[in-house]
PDB file of all heavy atoms in Angstrom:
ATOM      1  N   VAL A1232     -10.986  14.875 -22.746  1.00 92.00           N
ATOM      2  CA  VAL A1232     -12.317  14.338 -22.489  1.00 92.00           C
ATOM      3  C   VAL A1232     -13.403  15.400 -22.661  1.00 92.00           C
ATOM      4  O   VAL A1232     -14.424  15.151 -23.304  1.00 92.00           O
ATOM      5  CB  VAL A1232     -12.386  13.718 -21.070  1.00 92.00           C
ATOM      6  CG1 VAL A1232     -13.796  13.281 -20.719  1.00 92.00           C
ATOM      7  CG2 VAL A1232     -11.426  12.539 -20.971  1.00 92.00           C
ATOM      8  N   VAL A1233     -13.201  16.581 -22.131  1.00 92.00           N
ATOM      9  CA  VAL A1233     -14.235  17.611 -22.161  1.00 92.00           C
ATOM     10  C   VAL A1233     -14.220  18.402 -23.470  1.00 92.00           C
ATOM     11  O   VAL A1233     -15.260  18.638 -24.079  1.00 92.00           O
ATOM     12  CB  VAL A1233     -14.088  18.561 -20.948  1.00 92.00           C
ATOM     13  CG1 VAL A1233     -15.091  19.699 -21.013  1.00 92.00           C
ATOM     14  CG2 VAL A1233     -14.234  17.785 -19.649  1.00 92.00           C
ATOM     15  N   PHE A1234     -13.025  18.818 -23.909  1.00 92.00           N
ATOM     16  CA  PHE A1234     -12.927  19.684 -25.087  1.00 92.00           C
ATOM     17  C   PHE A1234     -12.597  18.932 -26.375  1.00 92.00           C
ATOM     18  O   PHE A1234     -12.445  19.534 -27.432  1.00 92.00           O
ATOM     19  CB  PHE A1234     -11.896  20.790 -24.839  1.00 92.00           C
ATOM     20  CG  PHE A1234     -12.245  21.662 -23.667  1.00 92.00           C
ATOM     21  CD1 PHE A1234     -11.503  21.610 -22.504  1.00 92.00           C
ATOM     22  CD2 PHE A1234     -13.345  22.500 -23.723  1.00 92.00           C
ATOM     23  CE1 PHE A1234     -11.822  22.399 -21.416  1.00 92.00           C
ATOM     24  CE2 PHE A1234     -13.680  23.302 -22.643  1.00 92.00           C
ATOM     25  CZ  PHE A1234     -12.919  23.253 -21.486  1.00 92.00           C
ATOM     26  N   HIS A1235     -12.450  17.610 -26.298  1.00 92.00           N
ATOM     27  CA  HIS A1235     -12.222  16.728 -27.460  1.00 92.00           C
ATOM     28  C   HIS A1235     -10.976  17.119 -28.264  1.00 92.00           C
ATOM     29  O   HIS A1235     -10.994  17.102 -29.490  1.00 92.00           O
ATOM     30  CB  HIS A1235     -13.465  16.695 -28.364  1.00 92.00           C
ATOM     31  CG  HIS A1235     -14.703  16.337 -27.623  1.00 92.00           C
ATOM     32  ND1 HIS A1235     -14.928  15.080 -27.124  1.00 92.00           N
ATOM     33  CD2 HIS A1235     -15.792  17.083 -27.276  1.00 92.00           C
ATOM     34  CE1 HIS A1235     -16.101  15.054 -26.506  1.00 92.00           C
ATOM     35  NE2 HIS A1235     -16.645  16.257 -26.579  1.00 92.00           N
ATOM     36  N   HIS A1236      -9.903  17.467 -27.563  1.00 90.00           N
ATOM     37  CA  HIS A1236      -8.610  17.742 -28.190  1.00 90.00           C
ATOM     38  C   HIS A1236      -7.610  16.718 -27.674  1.00 90.00           C
ATOM     39  O   HIS A1236      -6.990  16.917 -26.630  1.00 90.00           O
ATOM     40  CB  HIS A1236      -8.122  19.161 -27.843  1.00 90.00           C
ATOM     41  CG  HIS A1236      -8.967  20.244 -28.409  1.00 90.00           C
ATOM     42  ND1 HIS A1236      -8.927  20.594 -29.742  1.00 90.00           N
ATOM     43  CD2 HIS A1236      -9.881  21.056 -27.829  1.00 90.00           C
ATOM     44  CE1 HIS A1236      -9.786  21.584 -29.942  1.00 90.00           C
ATOM     45  NE2 HIS A1236     -10.377  21.881 -28.802  1.00 90.00           N
ATOM     46  N   PRO A1237      -7.440  15.600 -28.405  1.00 90.00           N
ATOM     47  CA  PRO A1237      -6.523  14.553 -27.941  1.00 90.00           C
ATOM     48  C   PRO A1237      -5.097  15.069 -27.780  1.00 90.00           C
ATOM     49  O   PRO A1237      -4.652  15.959 -28.499  1.00 90.00           O
ATOM     50  CB  PRO A1237      -6.587  13.485 -29.035  1.00 90.00           C
ATOM     51  CG  PRO A1237      -7.812  13.793 -29.810  1.00 90.00           C
ATOM     52  CD  PRO A1237      -8.073  15.250 -29.664  1.00 90.00           C
ATOM     53  N   TRP A1238      -4.386  14.479 -26.825  1.00 83.00           N
ATOM     54  CA  TRP A1238      -3.010  14.874 -26.540  1.00 83.00           C
ATOM     55  C   TRP A1238      -2.065  13.897 -27.234  1.00 83.00           C
ATOM     56  O   TRP A1238      -2.056  12.715 -26.935  1.00 83.00           O
ATOM     57  CB  TRP A1238      -2.775  14.845 -25.035  1.00 83.00           C
ATOM     58  CG  TRP A1238      -1.482  15.442 -24.637  1.00 83.00           C
ATOM     59  CD1 TRP A1238      -0.295  14.780 -24.471  1.00 83.00           C
ATOM     60  CD2 TRP A1238      -1.209  16.799 -24.356  1.00 83.00           C
ATOM     61  NE1 TRP A1238       0.684  15.648 -24.093  1.00 83.00           N
ATOM     62  CE2 TRP A1238       0.149  16.908 -24.012  1.00 83.00           C
ATOM     63  CE3 TRP A1238      -1.981  17.951 -24.365  1.00 83.00           C
ATOM     64  CZ2 TRP A1238       0.756  18.109 -23.682  1.00 83.00           C
ATOM     65  CZ3 TRP A1238      -1.388  19.151 -24.016  1.00 83.00           C
ATOM     66  CH2 TRP A1238      -0.035  19.218 -23.690  1.00 83.00           C
ATOM     67  N   GLY A1239      -1.264  14.365 -28.170  1.00 85.00           N
ATOM     68  CA  GLY A1239      -0.285  13.533 -28.860  1.00 85.00           C
ATOM     69  C   GLY A1239      -0.848  12.857 -30.098  1.00 85.00           C
ATOM     70  O   GLY A1239      -2.032  12.943 -30.408  1.00 85.00           O
ATOM     71  N   SER A1240       0.049  12.158 -30.818  1.00 89.00           N
ATOM     72  CA  SER A1240      -0.368  11.505 -32.059  1.00 89.00           C
ATOM     73  C   SER A1240      -1.090  10.181 -31.804  1.00 89.00           C
ATOM     74  O   SER A1240      -1.910   9.759 -32.603  1.00 89.00           O
ATOM     75  CB  SER A1240       0.850  11.273 -32.956  1.00 89.00           C
ATOM     76  OG  SER A1240       1.789  10.451 -32.286  1.00 89.00           O
ATOM     77  N   LYS A1241      -0.785   9.507 -30.697  1.00 89.00           N
ATOM     78  CA  LYS A1241      -1.474   8.274 -30.314  1.00 89.00           C
ATOM     79  C   LYS A1241      -1.996   8.452 -28.889  1.00 89.00           C
ATOM     80  O   LYS A1241      -1.419   7.939 -27.934  1.00 89.00           O
ATOM     81  CB  LYS A1241      -0.518   7.083 -30.384  1.00 89.00           C
ATOM     82  CG  LYS A1241      -0.054   6.754 -31.773  1.00 89.00           C
ATOM     83  CD  LYS A1241       0.792   5.516 -31.786  1.00 89.00           C
ATOM     84  CE  LYS A1241       1.200   5.182 -33.194  1.00 89.00           C
ATOM     85  NZ  LYS A1241       2.014   3.970 -33.237  1.00 89.00           N
ATOM     86  N   PRO A1242      -3.106   9.169 -28.740  1.00 89.00           N
ATOM     87  CA  PRO A1242      -3.602   9.472 -27.389  1.00 89.00           C
ATOM     88  C   PRO A1242      -4.147   8.243 -26.675  1.00 89.00           C
ATOM     89  O   PRO A1242      -4.622   7.298 -27.306  1.00 89.00           O
ATOM     90  CB  PRO A1242      -4.705  10.488 -27.623  1.00 89.00           C
ATOM     91  CG  PRO A1242      -5.158  10.241 -29.015  1.00 89.00           C
ATOM     92  CD  PRO A1242      -3.950   9.744 -29.768  1.00 89.00           C
ATOM     93  N   LEU A1243      -4.055   8.293 -25.366  1.00 89.00           N
ATOM     94  CA  LEU A1243      -4.632   7.271 -24.512  1.00 89.00           C
ATOM     95  C   LEU A1243      -6.158   7.366 -24.606  1.00 89.00           C
ATOM     96  O   LEU A1243      -6.693   8.447 -24.852  1.00 89.00           O
ATOM     97  CB  LEU A1243      -4.178   7.540 -23.063  1.00 89.00           C
ATOM     98  CG  LEU A1243      -4.275   6.433 -22.041  1.00 89.00           C
ATOM     99  CD1 LEU A1243      -3.458   5.215 -22.478  1.00 89.00           C
ATOM    100  CD2 LEU A1243      -3.756   6.919 -20.707  1.00 89.00           C
TER     101      LEU A1243
END
Side-chain angles (χ1 to χ4, degrees):
V1232 174
V1233 176
F1234 300 110
H1235 306 290
H1236 294 284
W1238 189 268
S1240 60
K1241 294 184 178 181
L1243 198 59

